[in-house]
């Protein structure tokens, strides 16, 4: 069976499980799955029950596909994502995005836990992603899926400027401080060396992580608008003698920021 039929099969399965016509989807990164607890009237479908979905093996990713209400609107949410470092192909990593497109999704909100490169960033800061630097294999390599988009999609506005302006307004109204910067996407799973943090800072990066970029590229290829936000979970520019990157610390820092992100995402969804 060709994968183009897999997308249709998966979309048909999910369509039979959910109600409403969700136009917005949210992908919740490491430690941010708690946002899903605020989704009302939720239908929760574990990934392992969904045809052609792989499983999320990363820490802090519960592995559920959810349909319910947030911000007064019906949405879809992925409680955990797939990563290239888990051994999946880029098509498997981004498979849910094209399924969302078939389900009628027009807006995608992506979140992640990221290391801070910008020296003004502190643990717990929220950063609007205004652009990215992709250091992973491009998920569009290979035969183009014409049914979803053009061979050479434009990426000059990968992150929707209208949604960024709207989020800045919302944050100001709610007195929640936000940073804004460039996210660097690497394959992982090893954390970056001090020299790598310094290098990516010098070439324009503000935060660094192991996800998100492939999803954004495929979403834009599909014509889906994207808003992205990172939770800064460590200060990658400050290496004390006892500093180590630790996955549990990352998840704990993301957990502490999840409530603020829930307020902001719900408000953004309400205004889309």
């Amino acid at each position: 069976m060709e994968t183009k039929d897999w997308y249709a099969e998966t979309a048909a399965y999910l369509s039979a499980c959910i109600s409403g016509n969700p136009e917005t989807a949210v992908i919740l990164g490491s430690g941010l799955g708690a946002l899903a607890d605020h989704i009302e009237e939720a239908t929760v479908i574990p990934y392992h029950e969904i045809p052609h979905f792989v499983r999320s093996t990363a820490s802090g990713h519960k592995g559920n596909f959810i349909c319910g209400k947030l911000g007064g609107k019906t949405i879809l949410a992925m409680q955990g994502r797939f990563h290239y470092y888990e051994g999946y192909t880029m098509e498997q990593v981004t498979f849910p995005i094209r399924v969302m497109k078939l389900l009628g999704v027009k807006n995608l909100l992506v979140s992640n836990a990221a290391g801070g490169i910008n020296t003004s960033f502190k643990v717990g800061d929220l950063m609007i992603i205004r652009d990215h630097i992709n250091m992973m294999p491009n998920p569009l390599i290979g035969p183009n899926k014409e049914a979803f988009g053009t061979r050479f999609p434009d990426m000059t506005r990968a992150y929707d400027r209208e949604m960024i302006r709207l989020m800045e307004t919302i944050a100001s109204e709610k007195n929640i401080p936000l940073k804004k910067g460039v996210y660097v996407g690497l394959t992982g799973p090893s954390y970056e060396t001090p020299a790598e943090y310094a290098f990516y800072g010098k070439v324009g990066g503000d935060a660094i992580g192991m996800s998100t970029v492939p999803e954004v590229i495929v979403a834009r290829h599909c014509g889906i608008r994207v808003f992205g936000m990172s939770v800064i979970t460590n200060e990658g520019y400050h290496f004390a003698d006892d500093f180590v990157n630790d996955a549990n610390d990352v998840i704990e820092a993301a957990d502490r920021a999840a409530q603020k992100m829930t307020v902001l995402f719900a408000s953004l969804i309400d205004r889309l």
Side-chain angles (χ1 to χ4, degrees):
M1 181 185 296
E2 295 183 8
T3 54
K4 65 180 180 182
D5 296 321
W6 294 1
Y7 293 117
E9 281 189 5
T10 304
Y13 173 86
L14 290 172
S15 182
C17 296
I18 64 178
S19 59
N21 298 294
E23 293 188 352
T24 299
V26 183
I27 298 178
L28 303 171
S30 299
L32 297 168
L35 188 152
D37 296 336
H38 296 269
I39 298 175
E40 300 175 347
E41 302 174 29
T43 298
V44 181
I45 311 167
Y47 291 161
H48 67 83
E49 295 182 4
I50 302 173
H52 312 303
F53 261 48
V54 293
R55 299 192 183 194
S56 182
T57 65
S59 299
H61 293 251
K62 290 188 177 181
N64 292 317
F65 192 89
I66 302 170
C67 179
K69 291 188 178 296
L70 185 69
K73 295 183 179 179
T74 301
I75 68 160
L76 300 177
M78 288 184 64
Q79 196 176 24
R81 56 160 51 91
F82 311 130
H83 302 80
Y84 187 63
Y85 67 71
E86 294 175 86
Y88 297 130
T89 66
M90 276 298 177
E91 184 158 11
Q92 289 173 313
V93 168
T94 59
F95 184 86
I97 308 301
R98 294 190 176 106
V99 172
M100 290 174 182
K101 175 67 175 181
L102 295 179
L103 291 172
V105 167
K106 297 178 181 178
N107 310 301
L108 177 64
L109 279 57
V110 292
S111 67
N112 59 55
I117 301 174
N118 189 311
T119 56
S120 72
F121 289 2
K122 302 297 182 185
V123 171
D125 283 348
L126 299 178
M127 184 193 85
I128 292 174
I129 304 174
R130 65 171 180 83
D131 205 347
H132 69 234
I133 297 172
N134 182 31
M135 300 302 296
M136 305 186 206
N138 192 299
L140 302 181
I141 291 173
N144 185 48
K145 301 185 186 305
E146 295 289 341
F148 290 101
T150 181
R151 168 78 282 186
F152 301 107
D154 176 55
M155 294 295 291
T156 55
R157 288 173 291 279
Y159 299 86
D160 190 84
R161 294 176 184 177
E162 180 184 349
M163 286 200 277
I164 289 174
R165 287 192 293 268
L166 189 53
M167 180 59 85
E168 289 175 326
T169 298
I170 291 166
S172 177
E173 292 171 354
K174 297 185 179 298
N175 199 30
I176 297 176
L178 294 179
K179 305 292 188 179
K180 186 161 63 173
V182 175
Y183 176 84
V184 183
L186 276 66
T187 64
S190 56
Y191 286 111
E192 298 73 32
T193 67
E196 288 170 331
Y197 277 118
F199 172 78
Y200 287 111
K202 289 178 180 177
V203 299
D206 294 291
I208 197 163
M210 307 172 191
S211 68
T212 303
V213 175
E215 301 155 356
V216 172
I217 292 173
V218 170
R220 294 304 302 131
H221 180 250
C222 290
I224 297 173
R225 297 198 305 163
V226 176
F227 175 84
M229 181 171 283
S230 296
V231 177
I232 304 304
T233 52
N234 56 59
E235 296 165 5
Y237 54 84
H238 177 68
F239 291 93
D241 290 341
D242 60 349
F243 175 86
V244 293
N245 269 314
D246 181 85
N248 291 327
D249 291 342
V250 168
I251 293 170
E252 289 175 7
D255 280 341
R256 291 193 294 271
Q259 183 60 41
K260 289 189 294 183
M261 183 174 286
T262 298
V263 170
L264 292 171
F265 273 29
S267 297
L268 179 62
I269 290 166
D270 181 55
R271 299 190 192 188
L272 290 177

